[in-house]
């Protein structure tokens, strides 16, 4: 399994309430998740970065391919101009015309909204159906597990659903892949929760359960 803590180094990602930076939150979550996956599932786990360093998006996917990973998960935290916006959402790679998703992808891709049309053209030539079904299944398991695990600890956890989006970091991944957005740093209540090590542990548990549920479901399909 390759885990990808988004952003890093000169790229802080979203900066939220109190100066909380996306790159810091997701690195803590990914590091804790890697430990649990190794201990409880006995799988090999590689992080695309294990420190506050900048790694280009293409190199992250290339790392997953070089490791011949069975699963690639990119971990992010959300933000919005609407300070009331909140919740969890998980994405798989596919074309979309949803404007809100396009804006989010532009921010995570570090590119202008209009430049995503180049990626759309590229994707139109790819055989996405090779991993699409498994990527949707992975995203669905992650999303439902995150919501179910966090709600007992944070009653305002909103299920924003599983969505398709054009995220560069998922392009070219030769395995099932997904990108998760862990609450909104721009939401004061959610930013305070994300700062707490205890709540980060709850999120890690949700991600672990989602990955394990996906793996268990996959095993049942194998004769």
């Amino acid at each position: 399994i390759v885990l990808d803590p988004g952003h890093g180094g000169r790229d802080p990602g979203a900066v939220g309430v109190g100066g909380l930076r996306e790159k810091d939150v997701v690195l803590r979550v990914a590091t804790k998740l890697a430990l649990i996956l190794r201990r409880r599932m006995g799988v090999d786990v590689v992080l695309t970065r294990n420190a506050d360093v900048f790694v280009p998006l293409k190199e992250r996917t290339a790392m997953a391919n070089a490791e011949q990973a069975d699963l690639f998960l990119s971990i992010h935290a959300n933000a919005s101009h609407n300070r009331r916006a909140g919740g969890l959402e998980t994405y798989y790679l596919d074309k979309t015309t949803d404007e809100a998703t396009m804006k989010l992808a532009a921010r995570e891709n570090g590119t202008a909204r209009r430049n995503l049309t180049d990626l759309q053209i590229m994707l139109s030539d790819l055989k996405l159906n090779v991993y699409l079904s498994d990527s949707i299944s992975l995203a669905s398991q992650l999303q439902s597990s995150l919501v179910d695990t966090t709600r007992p600890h944070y009653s305002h956890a909103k299920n924003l659903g599983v969505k398709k989006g054009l995220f560069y970091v998922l392009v070219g991944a030769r395995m099932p892949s997904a990108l998760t957005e862990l609450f909104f740093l721009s939401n004061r209540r959610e930013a305070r929760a994300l700062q707490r090590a205890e709540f980060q542990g709850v999120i890690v548990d949700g991600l672990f359960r989602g990955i394990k549920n996906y793996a268990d479901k996959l095993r049942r399909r194998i004769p």
Side-chain angles (χ1 to χ4, degrees):
I1 294 174
V2 172
L3 302 177
D4 172 46
H7 309 281
R10 66 175 184 265
D11 176 15
V15 179
V17 177
L20 187 62
R21 300 180 300 186
E22 180 180 2
K23 68 174 184 177
D24 299 327
V25 173
V26 298
L27 180 59
R28 293 183 202 124
V29 168
T31 302
K32 294 175 182 177
L33 178 58
L35 288 173
I36 289 181
L37 286 167
R38 291 173 184 135
R39 290 172 182 170
R40 297 173 64 179
M41 288 184 65
V43 296
D44 294 327
V45 184
V46 174
L47 272 66
T48 58
R49 66 179 183 95
N50 52 25
D52 185 16
V53 296
F54 176 77
V55 181
L57 297 179
K58 286 184 178 180
E59 290 185 18
R60 296 167 188 252
T61 315
M63 192 181 303
N65 290 335
E67 293 287 343
Q68 297 184 318
D70 298 298
L71 183 155
F72 178 66
L73 174 61
S74 192
I75 303 172
H76 294 258
N78 223 328
S80 173
H81 292 298
N82 177 7
R83 301 300 181 184
R84 295 183 178 181
L88 297 151
E89 55 190 0
T90 306
Y91 289 86
Y92 59 92
L93 180 67
D94 202 353
K95 294 177 287 185
T96 181
T97 57
D98 179 72
E99 188 65 25
T101 299
M102 295 289 275
K103 287 180 179 178
L104 172 63
R107 176 170 66 78
E108 298 294 9
N109 293 340
T111 185
R113 158 71 175 80
R114 61 181 178 274
N115 290 340
L116 288 177
T117 54
D118 294 335
L119 184 55
Q120 285 179 309
I121 294 171
M122 184 193 311
L123 286 174
S124 67
D125 296 328
L126 294 178
K127 295 181 179 179
L128 291 174
N129 60 332
V130 175
Y131 300 110
L132 183 58
S133 178
D134 282 338
S135 293
I136 293 172
S137 177
L138 171 62
S140 299
Q141 293 292 344
L142 286 166
Q143 180 68 16
S144 61
S145 181
L146 279 167
V147 172
D148 291 345
T149 305
T150 56
R151 271 187 179 162
H153 302 267
Y154 177 62
S155 60
H156 298 279
K158 186 177 181 181
N159 186 355
L160 300 178
V162 174
K163 304 174 182 179
K164 53 187 178 180
L166 296 169
F167 294 92
Y168 282 139
V169 74
L170 301 181
V171 173
R174 296 196 292 269
M175 73 289 297
S177 60
L179 181 148
T180 186
E181 294 279 352
L182 304 173
F183 295 105
F184 282 69
L185 296 175
S186 51
N187 181 304
R188 185 173 299 278
R189 181 181 288 157
E190 295 191 354
R192 281 200 299 262
L194 287 170
Q195 283 181 310
R196 301 199 314 268
E198 179 184 2
F199 192 66
Q200 291 172 13
V202 172
I203 290 173
V204 168
D205 187 46
L207 291 170
F208 167 76
R209 291 173 184 271
I211 291 172
K212 187 176 185 304
N213 290 343
Y214 166 77
D216 289 345
K217 184 178 178 181
L218 197 62
R219 288 192 192 97
R220 288 195 293 270
R221 283 168 39 192
I222 300 174

